[in-house]
Amino acid sequence: MNREFDTPTLDWLHDVYEERKRRAFELGKQATDLLIKESKKVSHRAVAQRSKEIDPDGNGIHVNTIRSNKELHEYISQHSAKKHSKARKVALVPQEDHFKQVKKERDLERVRSRYMKLGKAELVELLIQSEQYIAQNNKIWLENEFEKYQ
């Protein structure tokens, strides 16, 4: 059975979704406005809880509905307190001296653990410095080899 030809047009389903989307937006907007009026914190969870209190059916809206409804999410985001991420402590990126001290017999699990704690930018910087150190040593090695054959 080919589903493409056997299923009736589901235009009515689109109308149902649009109605639910509109209802969620209206309830969320009313709940947000009430929270603002009461000088309470506006968050997805607070809006979802307040929407259950003001909904005539008592159902309210779910937190995930707020996230999936773009208009409602934007409206709530305008009125919610912004979360600021804590500034990460920037680890010092090793200098050239660090690479001279690296030993082959080191504990690789400990090294891996230390690298996993670094941020992406720190790892990139470390990789660039490592490549620069290798390139410089390759150049010195090549110059020494060239002098041997002269």
Side-chain angles (χ1 to χ4, degrees):
M1 180 184 334
N2 189 345
R3 290 180 57 110
E4 187 174 319
F5 295 109
D6 292 340
T7 56
T9 307
L10 299 178
D11 292 334
W12 63 271
L13 191 56
H14 178 71
D15 295 337
V16 170
Y17 286 146
E18 285 300 316
E19 176 59 29
R20 287 185 179 182
K21 184 177 175 182
R22 187 196 58 72
R23 177 189 168 277
F25 179 78
E26 290 301 320
L27 272 176
K29 184 176 182 297
Q30 289 174 10
T32 303
D33 294 341
L34 276 175
L35 288 169
I36 293 168
K37 185 177 178 182
E38 296 170 356
S39 300
K40 293 191 176 179
K41 180 181 172 185
V42 177
S43 67
H44 288 170
R45 184 169 295 185
V47 170
Q49 184 63 38
R50 184 54 56 106
S51 71
K52 289 178 183 176
E53 295 169 7
I54 63 173
D55 184 14
D57 300 334
N59 295 332
I61 54 176
H62 194 269
V63 175
N64 290 337
T65 303
I66 296 170
R67 291 185 181 118
S68 62
N69 189 323
K70 291 180 184 177
E71 294 85 17
L72 180 56
H73 179 74
E74 288 174 13
Y75 184 79
I76 292 172
S77 295
Q78 291 172 357
H79 301 287
S80 67
K82 306 288 184 214
K83 288 187 178 180
H84 297 288
S85 61
K86 295 179 182 176
R88 289 188 64 183
K89 181 181 175 185
V90 178
L92 296 175
V93 178
Q95 299 300 321
E96 186 176 314
D97 297 339
H98 171 77
F99 298 115
K100 291 179 182 176
Q101 298 171 1
V102 174
K103 294 181 176 46
K104 185 177 180 182
E105 307 85 31
R106 61 194 178 149
D107 182 7
L108 295 180
E109 277 301 312
R110 188 164 182 212
V111 173
R112 182 174 286 110
S113 174
R114 188 174 68 240
Y115 285 158
M116 291 300 287
K117 292 177 184 176
L118 295 177
K120 190 175 185 178
E122 296 161 336
L123 287 171
V124 168
E125 197 61 38
L126 180 64
L127 181 60
I128 291 171
Q129 286 189 5
S130 302
E131 289 178 348
Q132 288 297 104
Y133 180 77
I134 292 168
Q136 183 179 6
N137 283 331
N138 286 347
K139 182 181 177 187
I140 293 170
W141 181 81
L142 283 173
E143 289 171 356
N144 290 340
E145 287 296 313
F146 184 72
E147 289 176 7
K148 286 182 184 178
Y149 295 109
Q150 291 274 335

